[in-house]
């Protein structure tokens, strides 16, 4: 999978591989030294991720797409970047099943979440008398609520910790939504194995979830949503530390026009926005 970039519903795959790809967070730690020599430091509570991308050459159509994004021709909104190097689109806390319970949504009063009092506290899911269709729990992100996707690409979704705990699942689900957030459809897996599927035409977002069919309580534990077929790797017990799927704003952009069909020396700088 190459890098995809754009607004949800209008993502484009950039065919040329970037020559450099730096996604280091901006720590912005400031150091203060007292007259005594003692040192204190200050850091902002949020360390946004920055992307610095550089290409030596790019096809004209791909360049035109980036040019429109950088100049905000189609609106000022943030852009999504589907990073081919990302191991898990879920946040670090979601992937580990820890932290604030606001990172999950419930479809019924019969399902509750507890714990998450600190960033490292495990979250427990409890189900009391699930409805006939099942008690559904879904994973969400702040900016778009659902996860941006590109039609035709392959995704893997699984909750290995719930499977290992033998939680009574009707299956793992991926719910598809259009760019205007209207519901498009869903695909279901067994819950005991990773769900590997292709994003359907018209889908701009995916909403991962599971449906419980019996009462009980289980640690939420690990989960993974990532591009490609990861079934073998996940069944071997590998992954799922999360890296998140940030929304980005383009902060700098450079290029050198060429006489032929390709553009030269393209640079794009982006910063994560809330």
């Amino acid at each position: 999978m190459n890098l995809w970039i754009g607004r949800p519903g209008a993502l484009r795959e950039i065919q040329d591989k970037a020559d450099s790809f730096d996604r280091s967070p901006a720590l912005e730690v400031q150091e203060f030294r007292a007259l005594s020599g003692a040192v204190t430091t200050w850091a902002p509570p949020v360390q946004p991720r920055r992307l610095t991308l550089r290409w030596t050459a790019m096809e004209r159509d791909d360049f035109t797409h980036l040019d429109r994004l950088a100049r905000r021709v189609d609106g000022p909104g943030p852009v999504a970047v589907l990073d081919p190097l990302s191991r898990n689109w879920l946040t670090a806390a979601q992937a580990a099943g820890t932290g604030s319970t606001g990172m999950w949504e419930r479809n019924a009063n019969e399902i509750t979440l507890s714990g998450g009092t600190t960033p490292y506290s495990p979250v427990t899911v409890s189900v009391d008398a699930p409805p006939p269709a099942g008690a559904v729990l879904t994973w969400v992100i702040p900016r778009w609520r659902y996860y941006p996707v590109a039609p035709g690409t392959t995704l893997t979704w699984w909750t290995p910790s719930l499977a290992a705990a033998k939680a009574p699942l009707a299956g793992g689900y991926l719910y598809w939504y259009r760019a205007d957030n209207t519901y498009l459809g869903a695909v279901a897996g067994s819950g005991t194995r990773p769900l590997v599927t292709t994003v359907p035409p018209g889908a701009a977002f995916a909403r991962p979830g599971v449906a419980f069919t019996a009462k009980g309580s289980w640690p939420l534990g690990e989960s993974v949503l990532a591009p490609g077929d990861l079934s073998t790797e996940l069944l071997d017990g590998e992954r799922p530390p999360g890296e998140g799927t940030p929304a980005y704003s383009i902060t700098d952009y450079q290029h050198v026009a060429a006489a032929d069909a390709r553009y030269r020396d393209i640079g794009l700088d982006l910063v994560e926005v809330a």
Side-chain angles (χ1 to χ4, degrees):
M1 175 181 169
N2 292 331
L3 179 143
W4 291 72
I5 184 171
R7 293 185 175 81
L11 295 172
R12 182 179 179 88
E13 183 179 17
I14 305 302
Q15 298 299 319
D16 292 283
K17 298 286 193 292
D19 296 283
S20 64
F21 190 114
D22 184 358
R23 53 178 185 163
S24 305
L27 299 181
E28 299 178 2
V29 178
Q30 298 182 26
E31 182 178 305
F32 303 93
R33 184 180 297 273
L35 292 176
S36 64
V39 174
T40 59
T41 61
W42 176 88
V46 176
Q47 290 79 37
R49 182 176 298 173
R50 294 182 183 273
L51 290 183
T52 300
L53 301 165
R54 297 290 182 268
W55 293 265
T56 55
M58 183 179 291
E59 296 294 337
R60 181 178 294 274
D61 289 345
D62 290 345
F63 167 79
T64 300
H65 176 74
L66 293 184
D67 186 77
R68 291 179 70 93
L69 290 176
R71 299 180 189 279
R72 289 156 171 82
V73 173
D74 304 303
V79 299
V81 178
L82 302 189
D83 180 355
L85 301 179
S86 178
R87 292 179 53 82
N88 193 341
W89 287 352
L90 305 178
T91 67
Q94 281 180 318
T98 61
S100 170
T101 58
M103 295 180 291
W104 294 270
E105 289 185 348
R106 307 162 296 146
N107 78 324
N109 293 329
E110 290 82 1
I111 183 170
T112 58
L113 295 172
S114 58
T117 54
T118 71
Y120 301 102
S121 298
V123 174
T124 298
V125 56
S126 300
V127 178
D128 180 22
V136 177
L137 183 70
T138 56
W139 282 241
V140 295
I141 57 176
R143 181 72 200 198
W144 291 294
R145 191 178 178 197
Y146 311 136
Y147 292 82
V149 294
T153 58
T154 301
L155 288 184
T156 297
W157 160 242
W158 199 34
T159 54
S161 292
L162 289 176
K166 300 188 183 304
L169 300 178
Y173 292 84
L174 282 171
Y175 303 91
W176 310 114
Y177 293 82
R178 301 179 181 89
D180 61 0
N181 285 327
T182 56
Y183 180 67
L184 180 63
V187 61
S190 66
T192 59
R193 295 182 62 86
L195 168 59
V196 180
T197 188
T198 300
V199 181
F205 298 102
R207 184 183 191 184
V210 292
F212 297 88
T213 58
K215 62 187 301 183
S217 296
W218 308 271
L220 196 53
E222 294 183 331
S223 53
V224 59
L225 175 68
D229 182 349
L230 311 178
S231 52
T232 300
E233 180 180 345
L234 290 173
L235 290 171
D236 287 341
E238 301 181 20
R239 279 213 195 209
E243 300 175 24
T245 310
Y248 288 100
S249 177
I250 297 174
T251 59
D252 196 19
Y253 158 66
Q254 317 93 35
H255 75 275
V256 176
D260 58 14
R262 292 168 69 81
Y263 278 73
R264 312 292 180 187
D265 301 324
I266 294 101
L268 204 64
D269 296 337
L270 307 96
V271 63
E272 179 182 353
V273 294

